[in-house]
Amino acid sequence: MKKHNPKFKIFLKIPSFIKNQVMSYPNDSLDNSEYPMKFEVLQKCSRSKARLSKLTLPHAVLETPQFMPVGTQGALKGVLPSQIRDLNCNLILGNTYHLGNRPGTCILNQAGGLHKYMNWDGALLTDSGGFQMVSLLKLAKVTEEGVSFQSPHDDSMMMLTPEKSMEIQNSIGADIIMQLDDVVSSTLDDQDRMEEAMLRSIRWLDRCIKSHKRKKDQNLFPIVQGGLNMKLREQSVKELVKRNTAGYAIGGLSGGESKDDFWRAVSLSTDFLPLEKPRYLMGVGYSIIIIFY
């Protein structure tokens, strides 16, 4: 893996360094677990929040922290699934919005899910489509119901609601799926809009939990929001923890803010996240951060 590859994202908080401090947690099988996963913290740094862990998912066992290659539409450009396996990579990220447009849920259901569609037997993680509210902002309109997108391909309209996001992700069949969240840029000055997005994301999470149909096969992660407003971010994470989900994602960052602001927001988020559950740090694309942080 190249050190500067913008097509990789990081799963779990990056350790500054690891100290030997073994921590043990229940060792139940997936059949006896509350969720279709098992997370074990193997070592913890004595001077930071860094953790060395093992995450068992329905399709793979991961050593964390780990980077994920990004296969937006079910494929990595120029790389075959067999070549990805040869690199000892067993987790790929897919994009719900783009997969929902092409090939669509009908073809994914006929294929038996994204694993079979792309000939991949490792683990998959899908985002919810929320990021496209920022990247395709000129083509999107956000309301309490959801977000309405104009397709950049044929100008057709798509209404992505929390229920629709779950429907698409249930068809994809990824091991870990994300709630639909109301995403705004981390550098947005309008704090009223920032608060609106954070609170709406909590309401949308409840709709996602209710409409998630494959709880025995897929792990739903909520996403911490609040941008760089620490009060909003603390409020967000405390509300999400009340839902007692399989794990948690830290989002609303990597929107052009400074690295100091980025890590300040990450650190506050992890202050309130349970130690015994996995964390997905969204939007990190440079492995050089591992050295400096």
Side-chain angles (χ1 to χ4, degrees):
M1 183 181 68
K2 295 181 179 179
K3 285 189 174 180
H4 297 280
N5 191 337
K7 284 297 182 179
F8 277 74
K9 294 187 178 181
I10 193 144
F11 190 84
L12 304 182
K13 189 177 186 303
I14 306 170
S16 303
F17 39 80
I18 297 293
K19 297 285 185 180
N20 291 330
Q21 182 178 339
V22 177
M23 303 191 68
S24 60
Y25 290 91
N27 195 30
D28 297 334
S29 66
L30 290 184
D31 292 337
N32 298 322
S33 297
E34 183 178 3
Y35 307 102
M37 65 181 298
K38 181 172 66 174
F39 181 66
E40 302 168 89
V41 178
L42 304 177
Q43 295 177 325
K44 184 179 182 298
C45 177
S46 62
R47 296 173 59 188
S48 75
K49 299 176 185 177
R51 304 177 300 174
L52 182 66
S53 311
K54 182 171 75 171
L55 177 61
T56 302
L57 296 170
H59 290 90
V61 177
L62 312 178
E63 295 178 348
T64 66
Q66 178 176 137
F67 275 104
M68 289 181 291
V70 179
T72 300
Q73 291 183 283
L76 273 71
K77 294 180 179 179
V79 185
L80 298 173
S82 59
Q83 294 172 311
I84 301 173
R85 295 188 194 96
D86 291 342
L87 294 171
N88 294 321
C89 174
N90 53 6
L91 177 63
I92 296 176
L93 184 147
N95 183 284
T96 295
Y97 168 78
H98 291 292
L99 289 167
N101 269 314
R102 299 187 305 182
T105 56
C106 182
I107 292 178
L108 286 170
N109 288 332
Q110 290 176 355
L114 185 59
H115 284 93
K116 293 183 178 179
Y117 181 82
M118 63 183 290
N119 191 28
W120 173 250
D121 58 4
L124 290 171
L125 181 149
T126 45
D127 58 20
S128 65
F131 178 71
Q132 276 61 50
M133 296 181 198
V134 175
S135 64
L136 298 177
L137 182 60
K138 294 181 179 180
L139 303 175
K141 180 180 179 181
V142 183
T143 64
E144 187 64 27
E145 180 184 2
V147 54
S148 178
F149 289 103
Q150 181 181 19
S151 171
H153 308 295
D154 59 8
D155 293 334
S156 63
M157 299 303 296
M158 173 185 181
M159 171 59 77
L160 187 64
T161 64
E163 293 78 14
K164 184 64 175 179
S165 178
M166 288 297 99
E167 177 189 335
I168 297 173
Q169 292 187 82
N170 286 163
S171 294
I172 291 171
D175 300 64
I176 298 175
I177 63 178
M178 296 292 131
Q179 74 152 111
L180 181 66
D181 52 341
D182 185 356
V183 182
V184 295
S185 173
S186 59
T187 57
L188 182 70
D189 291 328
D190 186 347
Q191 292 305 298
D192 290 337
R193 174 69 181 103
M194 187 73 72
E195 182 178 18
E196 177 190 49
M198 183 275 291
L199 293 173
R200 178 176 287 146
S201 294
I202 296 171
R203 295 192 295 271
W204 283 2
L205 169 61
D206 290 333
R207 290 167 60 185
C208 287
I209 292 173
K210 185 177 180 179
S211 58
H212 178 24
K213 304 300 184 185
R214 298 183 61 184
K215 294 180 173 65
K216 294 183 178 181
D217 305 308
Q218 298 176 285
N219 299 281
L220 174 61
F221 281 24
I223 303 174
V224 179
Q225 288 292 344
L228 302 179
N229 185 315
M230 298 303 142
K231 290 184 178 180
L232 294 181
R233 187 161 287 272
E234 179 177 344
Q235 182 180 353
S236 173
V237 69
K238 286 182 175 179
E239 283 297 322
L240 302 190
V241 170
K242 292 178 183 178
R243 273 68 178 176
N244 190 32
T245 53
Y248 302 90
I250 301 172
L253 298 169
S254 297
E257 74 279 355
S258 71
K259 288 303 177 186
D260 285 343
D261 286 339
F262 174 88
W263 285 108
R264 189 178 299 112
V266 170
S267 180
L268 181 137
S269 300
T270 56
D271 282 344
F272 301 99
L273 290 174
L275 177 65
E276 70 276 8
K277 292 190 176 183
R279 304 161 185 168
Y280 165 32
L281 181 55
M282 309 179 80
V284 176
Y286 296 94
S287 57
I288 192 68
I289 293 176
I290 292 176
I291 298 175
F292 293 104
Y293 296 95

